[in-house]
Amino acid sequence: MKKQLVSTLLLAVAANAELVSRGENTGIGARAVSMGEAFTAVADDYSALYYNPAGMTQLSRSELGLNLDYRLRANATSLIGGIGSRRAVETARLGAISMVLTSGNGIAFGLGYYSPTSFDDPLQYFVAGREYAYEASGNMDHYRAAVAYAPSTRASLGFAVSVLAGKEQLEIRDGITARYLEEYAGFNLEPSFLFYLSKAVTLGGSAVVAERLALRDTYQEQGQAPVETHYSIRNPVQTRLGIAFQKGWTLLSADWHAVLWQDYAYAEEGGAFLQGDSSYSNRHVFALGLEQRLSRRGPVLRAGVSWEAEDASSINRAWAKNPASLHLGFGLPVSQFLMLDLGYQYRGATSLQPSTAGGPADLTIAETGQQVMGSLRFRW
């Protein structure tokens, strides 16, 4: 979650224990991304390691996947009584590399690296002759291992362990400059399942049942010495549930992803855990995906939509963004053992927020994000 826009609110941030930046999910695997990430009940390629490890038993051959990722994030501001501006940041990087090992006998193992969360977020506007700016950048990386077992032809179970490492750099300017450096390290545990309700219908789900983070937070205000604080964090429950329908060359899927903050708690180094009073709201993402083969071994077209909602009871609705995303992509079999996938995602949202602490909601922020992802899948 983005901290408040101006440094006059930094004390409120600390008081509310907003220690974790939620960032923006950018997805893994061009195929899954182009289907709106409605992939929990599909999970039949290497990206099952990320979306639903139980699905790894569906692979008849071992598979290696490589993702290259380009992202463009922009914010355009419009301020009553002031001057807005547009700020953008673009990145290109290795998004993931993962491998699933299987002999097709109902047991599979997976190992991978992912960078599914981006903290990139630029913002700038001017009021009363002063500049207000918010610049955030960074990623949360996952190093993941998983095992899956199919006890019958109707069900598969999976379990994954992830090691997390991330860094966010944040600078806020409103006459003075304040900087944060937030460095995360931790782990999470995630059981999962996949049930075959019929030849055409599958049901899948997973949940992060334990996540622990160690945070080193370094804060420095202009002209002052840096202040370093260490925290231990119990992150919220994260869950996925999906259903998929396959008929002929057509695949339809639907997903619900949720981040539930009731269990969030934190402690300063050596202290007792406190329940997080962070004003974070539970976040729900709904997604629909379509995959259409044009021939048995020919090109594949994909499309998806997703939209986000937050619990109205726990947030100021004037600040709500409720972003939606449009997803497109295609797959091209290069050979029996090599598949090329391309995916595109466009994300947009608009929110109304106060430009100064305690002031009226006079700042309109139009956020856009674009992502192009290319994936290679090798099978053997």
Side-chain angles (χ1 to χ4, degrees), residues 56 61-63 99-103 107-111 380:
M56 295 190 301
R61 296 182 177 183
S62 297
E63 191 165 293
M99 178 172 58
V100 176
L101 299 175
T102 182
S103 59
I107 300 177
F109 301 91
L111 187 67
W380 69 92

Side-chain angles (χ1 to χ4, degrees), residues 204-262:
S206 68
V208 175
V209 295
E211 182 167 299
R212 301 291 184 268
L213 290 176
L215 168 63
R216 182 172 66 184
D217 181 275
T218 304
Y219 171 72
Q220 184 175 22
E221 196 167 300
Q222 185 175 335
Q224 303 294 321
V227 177
E228 188 174 290
T229 308
H230 294 256
Y231 296 94
S232 297
I233 299 171
R234 295 174 180 168
N235 248 23
V237 171
Q238 302 170 58
T239 186
R240 295 176 178 270
L241 185 65
I243 190 168
F245 305 87
Q246 175 87 53
K247 185 168 180 63
W249 295 346
T250 302
L251 172 65
L252 295 172
S253 58
D255 264 32
W256 166 65
H257 308 160
V259 180
L260 309 174
W261 286 91
Q262 291 92 330

Side-chain angles (χ1 to χ4, degrees), residues 30-31 34 45 291-302 329-343 373-379:
R31 181 182 175 213
S34 61
D45 65 20
E291 180 175 78
Q292 179 64 57
R293 292 185 174 274
L294 301 183
S295 67
R296 184 176 298 277
R297 297 188 179 275
V300 184
L301 300 181
R302 305 183 181 108
F330 72 91
L332 181 65
V334 179
S335 71
Q336 181 182 358
F337 306 104
L338 179 62
M339 183 79 172
L340 171 65
D341 297 304
L342 290 176
M373 181 180 291
S375 299
L376 286 175
R377 288 188 273 158
F378 303 91
R379 299 170 179 166

Side-chain angles (χ1 to χ4, degrees), residues 33-351:
V33 166
S34 61
M35 295 176 66
E37 294 191 81
F39 210 69
T40 306
V42 180
D44 59 357
D45 65 20
Y46 72 94
S47 58
L49 177 61
Y50 175 74
Y51 288 101
N52 184 354
M56 295 190 301
T57 59
Q58 297 184 100
L59 277 69
S60 59
R61 296 182 177 183
S62 297
E63 191 165 293
L64 175 70
L66 175 69
N67 291 357
L68 297 178
D69 191 13
Y70 168 80
R71 306 169 190 169
L72 174 63
R73 175 72 184 271
N75 286 324
T77 60
S78 177
L79 177 66
I80 299 174
I83 302 173
S85 65
R86 183 181 184 275
R87 298 296 299 272
V89 61
E90 55 183 329
T91 58
R93 59 172 295 165
L94 174 69
I97 181 168
S98 62
M99 178 172 58
V100 176
L101 299 175
T102 182
S103 59
N105 61 356
I107 300 177
F109 301 91
L111 187 67
Y113 157 79
Y114 305 104
S115 185
T117 304
S118 171
F119 297 132
D120 296 344
D121 199 0
L123 181 72
Q124 183 182 42
Y125 61 96
F126 300 87
V127 61
R130 296 175 61 185
E131 178 199 35
Y132 292 78
Y134 175 103
E135 304 282 349
S137 63
N139 293 277
M140 182 71 82
D141 297 330
H142 295 205
Y143 302 87
R144 190 167 175 90
V147 60
Y149 171 63
S152 73
T153 58
R154 303 297 298 271
S156 181
L157 304 175
F159 187 80
V161 178
S162 294
V163 174
L164 312 179
K167 180 183 292 186
E168 179 185 17
Q169 295 175 293
L170 173 64
E171 181 175 290
I172 300 176
R173 301 189 298 273
D174 70 338
I176 63 171
T177 299
R179 295 188 176 97
Y180 283 91
L181 174 60
E182 298 185 340
E183 297 169 282
Y184 299 99
F187 72 94
N188 66 34
L189 307 177
E190 184 175 358
S192 60
F193 69 87
L194 189 68
F195 296 148
Y196 306 91
L197 304 183
S198 70
K199 290 184 178 180
V201 183
T202 56
L203 178 70
S206 68
V208 175
V209 295
E211 182 167 299
R212 301 291 184 268
L213 290 176
L215 168 63
R216 182 172 66 184
D217 181 275
T218 304
Y219 171 72
Q220 184 175 22
E221 196 167 300
Q222 185 175 335
Q224 303 294 321
V227 177
E228 188 174 290
T229 308
H230 294 256
Y231 296 94
S232 297
I233 299 171
R234 295 174 180 168
N235 248 23
V237 171
Q238 302 170 58
T239 186
R240 295 176 178 270
L241 185 65
I243 190 168
F245 305 87
Q246 175 87 53
K247 185 168 180 63
W249 295 346
T250 302
L251 172 65
L252 295 172
S253 58
D255 264 32
W256 166 65
H257 308 160
V259 180
L260 309 174
W261 286 91
Q262 291 92 330
D263 295 328
Y264 170 59
Y266 68 97
E268 287 196 39
E269 191 174 60
F273 274 90
L274 302 174
Q275 196 66 28
D277 180 18
S278 64
S279 299
Y280 291 154
S281 57
N282 294 334
R283 181 163 61 178
H284 308 271
V285 178
F286 304 92
L288 299 173
L290 167 67
E291 180 175 78
Q292 179 64 57
R293 292 185 174 274
L294 301 183
S295 67
R296 184 176 298 277
R297 297 188 179 275
V300 184
L301 300 181
R302 305 183 181 108
V305 294
S306 64
W307 61 99
E308 182 179 307
E310 299 188 347
D311 291 350
S313 60
S314 57
I315 60 174
N316 182 335
R317 298 309 296 174
W319 290 43
K321 295 185 293 186
N322 295 338
S325 300
L326 173 66
H327 307 252
L328 296 169
F330 72 91
L332 181 65
V334 179
S335 71
Q336 181 182 358
F337 306 104
L338 179 62
M339 183 79 172
L340 171 65
D341 297 304
L342 290 176
Y344 171 77
Q345 175 182 182
Y346 177 86
R347 179 183 179 91
T350 301
S351 61

Side-chain angles (χ1 to χ4, degrees), residues 354-377:
S355 62
T356 56
D362 58 354
L363 179 69
T364 300
I365 304 174
E367 305 178 25
T368 59
Q370 298 186 66
Q371 178 184 19
V372 178
M373 181 180 291
S375 299
L376 286 175
R377 288 188 273 158

